[in-house]
């Protein structure tokens, strides 16, 4: 782990300075900044700090409305669905907040055997999933070759109409050679969360193991880029340090990647600390616990600050909060998630003891889909951009006029229609078909619409995996 010559690109004093200098902003200034975002500009740190400081109920509502407007204008109403797949929870780190940490004796250790991995993927395919994120503890067993091989195994599983078309990764940062090996397996996004960008806090909660090296982790995604993986996910675990600092740091990380590689992150995640078996989260989080109000504000602020980046919200959050935040521009959610190792395929009453933390949203994928449709969203299992080589897809959605109408919405309709044909019944099927009708009604008559209708007929006749 060589960090010689590496420095931090998170300027802690500058961040504190911006947060101090922008206190008590005027309404006019806040509106100006929201407008700059609606004009498709990535915000500057001073502007983000101003929005963070606009914390009255009235100003917060303007920020929420700005985020909703941006979502409506740019992203349309589709929501991409995925599921996490935990491959193994052995770990040599001692992250104080995580149920998988090496010295937690209350968690059952488990690494999926090959046939168990296949069973998990089949169970996910039976639900209708097409996109997974594979999650690994940090352990010598889970090296780059292992990650490569397990990803390949997942792609090879095909049960009935099921197949996994995109595998993303959440695992420890590798060296450049390691990232090259993993890239070879045909992954989508490589996601690494810095947890906290505040160095002193980072070093306190990661006292031992390879993860204790702040700079190695901070530069992890630079190495992934150097290895040719240009589809990256960043994130912060909220509750370890002041969220205001963390969201500013996420922006600095974004700017760093943009400046160095001309590509920003594809996605940003912002998990809040959740209770975990054998872990005292309350004493860890203390004064930094993020309230629901601040959580909504920070998501809306991120939406405005990095308008072209996908935002991911997971089942760690409650159903009510997730539904509310979709309108602020969250673009991906998981559905029907189970985070015990092996718990999609085995009904194990003790599964939570193999879990990293406890979930706030336990709805099945079918329920999530039905509720998305009722709320006017169109669920999408699209993997089109990634497989057509259009990487940096969110950037394109944002930058190319008409991109969402030309590609994303039709692909959402086609992949959702597949789902409805293959997996849905009863009320969900009805709600889904109604939502597709509404989507088509909203499209102006055009050649593209005719082409979409033709392909929908093909899907109804049994063809699969059609995309633009
Ligand atoms: N072991 C790898 C790592 O640490 O990067 C990847 C997998 S780790 C299981 C995935 C993420 O789970 C971590 O980056 C962390 O942000 C999150 N996590 C850990 N403990 C959590 C908790 N108690 N509540 C919510 N998220 C947690
Ligand atoms: Fe291990 Fe990752 Fe959990 Fe840390 S967060 S203990 S590295 S699984």
């Amino acid at each position: 782990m060589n960090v010689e010559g590496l420095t931090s690109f998170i300027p802690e004093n500058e961040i504190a300075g911006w947060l101090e200098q922008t206190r008590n902003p005027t309404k006019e200034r806040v509106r100006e900044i929201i407008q700059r975002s609606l004009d498709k500009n990535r915000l500057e740190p001073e502007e983000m700090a101003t929005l963070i400081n606009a914390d009255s109920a009235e100003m917060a509502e303007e920020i929420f409305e700005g985020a909703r407007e941006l979502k409506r204008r740019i992203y349309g109403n589709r929501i991409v669905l995925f599921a996490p797949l935990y491959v193994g929870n052995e770990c040599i780190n001692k992250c104080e907040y995580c149920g998988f940490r090496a010295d937690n004796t209350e968690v059952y250790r488990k690494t999926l055997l090959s046939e168990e991995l296949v069973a998990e993927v089949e169970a996910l395919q039976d639900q209708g999933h097409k996109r997974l994120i594979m999650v690994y503890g940090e352990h010598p067993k889970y090296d780059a070759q292992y990650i490569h091989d397990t990803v390949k195994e997942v792609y090879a599983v095909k049960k009935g109409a099921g197949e996994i078309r995109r595998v993303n990764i959440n695992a420890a940062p590798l060296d450049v050679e390691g990232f090259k090996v993993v890239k070879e397996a045909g992954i989508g996004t490589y996601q690494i969360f810095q947890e906290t960008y505040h160095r002193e806090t980072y070093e306190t909660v990661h006292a031992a193991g390879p993860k204790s090296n702040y700079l190695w982790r901070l530069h992890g995604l630079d190495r992934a880029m150097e290895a040719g993986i240009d589809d990256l996910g960043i994130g912060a675990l909220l509750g370890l340090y002041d969220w205001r600092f963390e969201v500013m740091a996420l922006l600095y990380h974004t700017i760093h990647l943009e400046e160095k590689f001309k590509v920003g992150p594809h996605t940003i995640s912002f998990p809040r600390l959740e209770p975990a078996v054998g872990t005292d989260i309350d004493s860890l989080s203390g004064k930094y616990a993020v309230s629901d109000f601040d959580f909504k504000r920070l998501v809306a602020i991120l939406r405005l600050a990095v308008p072209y980046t996908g935002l991911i919200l997971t089942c760690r959050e409650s159903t009510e909060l997730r539904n509310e935040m979709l309108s602020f521009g969250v673009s991906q959610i998981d559905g029907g998630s189970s985070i015990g190792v092996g718990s999609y395929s085995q009904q194990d009453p003790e599964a939570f003891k193999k879990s990293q933390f406890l979930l706030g949203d336990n709805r099945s994928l079918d329920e999530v889909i039905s509720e998305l449709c009722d709320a006017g969203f169109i669920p999408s299992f699209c993997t089109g951009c990634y497989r057509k080589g259009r990487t940096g897809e969110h950037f394109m959605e944002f930058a190319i006029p008409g991109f969402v109408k030309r590609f994303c919405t039709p692909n959402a309709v086609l992949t959702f229609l597949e789902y409805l044909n293959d997996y849905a019944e009863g009320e969900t099927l009805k709600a889904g078909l109604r939502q597709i009708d509404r989507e088509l009604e909203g499209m102006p008559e055009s050649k593209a619409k005719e082409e979409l209708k033709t392909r929908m007929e093909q899907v109804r006749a049994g063809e699969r995996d059609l995309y633009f």
Side-chain angles (χ1 to χ4, degrees):
M1 236 188 264
N2 183 4
V3 290
E4 226 181 276
L6 294 184
T7 52
S8 174
F9 47 80
I10 303 298
E12 296 196 0
N13 292 336
E14 192 174 299
I15 291 177
W18 286 131
L19 288 170
E20 190 53 43
Q21 286 164 42
T22 57
R23 275 173 188 266
N24 303 315
T26 62
K27 279 184 200 163
E28 290 65 38
R29 180 68 188 130
V30 171
R31 286 177 189 152
E32 227 172 70
I33 294 169
I34 294 174
Q35 191 51 48
R36 244 180 58 74
S37 169
L38 291 174
D39 291 339
K40 297 188 169 190
N41 296 295
R42 198 253 298 126
L43 298 182
E44 296 299 330
E46 178 266 331
E47 295 170 313
M48 183 189 238
T50 306
L51 296 186
I52 290 172
N53 276 318
D55 54 4
S56 68
E58 188 196 355
M59 282 290 93
E61 192 43 52
E62 293 214 14
I63 290 171
F64 295 157
E65 192 42 40
R68 285 187 203 109
E69 179 61 23
L70 191 75
K71 156 96 177 158
R72 280 193 290 267
R73 282 196 203 173
I74 295 179
Y75 291 105
N77 54 355
R78 77 198 200 291
I79 301 289
V80 172
L81 288 161
F82 70 95
L85 170 55
Y86 279 69
V87 183
N89 67 5
E90 294 187 57
C91 193
I92 53 171
N93 287 311
K94 292 188 180 168
C95 313
E96 285 184 23
Y97 45 82
C98 179
F100 293 170
R101 68 185 184 284
D103 51 359
N104 187 4
T105 50
E106 289 183 45
V107 83
Y108 295 169
R109 301 292 161 178
K110 174 80 191 147
T111 300
L112 295 176
L113 300 170
S114 190
E115 58 272 25
E116 290 169 332
L117 180 64
V118 171
E120 286 291 275
V121 178
E122 287 183 346
L124 283 159
Q125 290 180 355
D126 285 346
Q127 285 191 36
H129 276 295
K130 297 285 185 283
R131 302 169 60 113
L132 302 184
I133 181 152
M134 291 172 69
V135 186
Y136 305 76
E138 182 161 358
H139 194 277
K141 278 185 187 175
Y142 314 141
D143 62 5
Q145 192 60 46
Y146 180 83
I147 296 176
H148 169 280
D149 294 349
T150 43
V151 170
K152 284 280 201 191
E153 271 186 276
V154 166
Y155 278 132
V157 178
K158 308 224 186 266
K159 183 175 179 208
E163 62 177 340
I164 300 303
R165 298 176 184 159
R166 177 176 174 128
V167 171
N168 299 330
I169 300 291
N170 185 321
L174 306 170
D175 58 14
V176 176
E177 285 315 306
F179 278 121
K180 283 185 187 163
V181 171
V182 172
K183 180 182 159 61
E184 276 294 293
I187 62 160
T189 309
Y190 201 104
Q191 190 183 66
I192 303 171
F193 303 157
Q194 186 63 23
E195 320 299 7
T196 171
Y197 286 89
H198 186 253
R199 194 159 177 170
E200 193 188 326
T201 307
Y202 184 94
E203 286 167 1
T204 309
V205 294
H206 305 107
K211 195 161 163 183
S212 58
N213 193 325
Y214 177 90
L215 288 177
W216 179 254
R217 194 165 180 93
L218 189 65
H219 286 264
L221 292 174
D222 290 42
R223 294 192 298 279
M225 276 289 189
E226 282 156 27
I229 302 177
D230 63 357
D231 194 324
L232 305 174
I234 63 174
L237 181 58
L238 301 174
L240 296 173
Y241 188 64
D242 189 348
W243 67 266
R244 298 164 184 81
F245 177 90
E246 304 291 10
V247 292
M248 290 289 287
L250 286 166
L251 179 60
Y252 275 94
H253 197 165
T254 300
I255 294 172
H256 166 80
L257 292 170
E258 278 176 4
E259 285 179 348
K260 190 163 166 192
F261 301 102
K262 312 271 172 288
V263 189
H266 179 170
T267 56
I268 299 186
S269 303
F270 28 82
R272 284 194 290 187
L273 269 179
E274 294 293 337
V277 167
T279 309
D280 186 359
I281 291 296
D282 290 342
S283 73
L284 246 177
S285 192
K287 63 178 174 170
Y288 296 124
V290 182
S291 69
D292 285 356
F293 176 64
D294 281 341
F295 191 54
K296 286 194 278 185
R297 285 208 307 126
L298 77 87
V299 174
I301 291 169
L302 277 170
R303 173 67 304 144
L304 291 169
V306 283
Y308 52 82
T309 305
L311 298 183
I312 301 182
L313 190 64
T314 67
C315 277
R316 293 174 180 92
E317 299 299 338
S318 71
T319 314
E320 295 71 36
L321 201 65
R322 291 224 297 184
N323 282 347
E324 196 179 344
M325 287 171 49
L326 290 176
S327 65
F328 296 167
V330 164
S331 46
Q332 295 188 27
I333 60 171
D334 52 342
S337 290
S338 185
I339 58 171
V341 182
S343 58
Y344 288 110
S345 51
Q346 293 158 24
Q347 296 303 322
D348 177 359
E350 301 242 283
F352 70 95
K353 290 195 180 156
K354 295 184 203 134
S355 297
Q356 188 191 10
F357 48 81
L358 307 175
L359 293 181
D361 180 347
N362 289 301
R363 291 175 298 167
S364 66
L365 180 63
D366 182 84
E367 284 171 302
V368 170
I369 283 185
S370 169
E371 285 174 31
L372 281 176
C373 292
D374 290 344
F377 292 103
I378 177 134
S380 175
F381 295 90
C382 177
T383 53
C385 280
Y386 145 73
R387 286 152 80 225
K388 289 245 179 191
R390 295 189 298 247
T391 47
E393 78 193 68
H394 283 273
F395 178 73
M396 285 190 265
E397 286 168 51
F398 171 78
I400 302 175
F403 189 92
V404 170
K405 284 200 184 87
R406 230 171 97 211
F407 297 108
C408 308
T409 307
N411 285 343
V413 169
L414 290 174
T415 54
F416 187 41
L417 186 61
E418 275 189 7
Y419 172 86
L420 293 174
N421 277 347
D422 294 338
Y423 302 100
E425 48 191 32
E427 283 310 308
T428 306
L429 180 57
K430 282 191 213 149
L433 292 174
R434 266 198 312 272
Q435 184 59 22
I436 287 184
D437 284 345
R438 276 200 290 264
E439 213 52 55
L440 284 178
E441 274 163 28
M443 285 180 197
E445 295 309 321
S446 65
K447 252 182 92 181
K449 184 169 176 180
E450 286 315 305
E451 179 62 23
L452 172 60
K453 284 185 176 167
T454 308
R455 295 208 188 179
M456 287 173 67
E457 275 318 308
Q458 290 172 286
V459 170
R460 285 192 189 99
E463 278 190 60
R464 290 291 170 268
D465 204 14
L466 303 175
Y467 52 91
F468 293 94

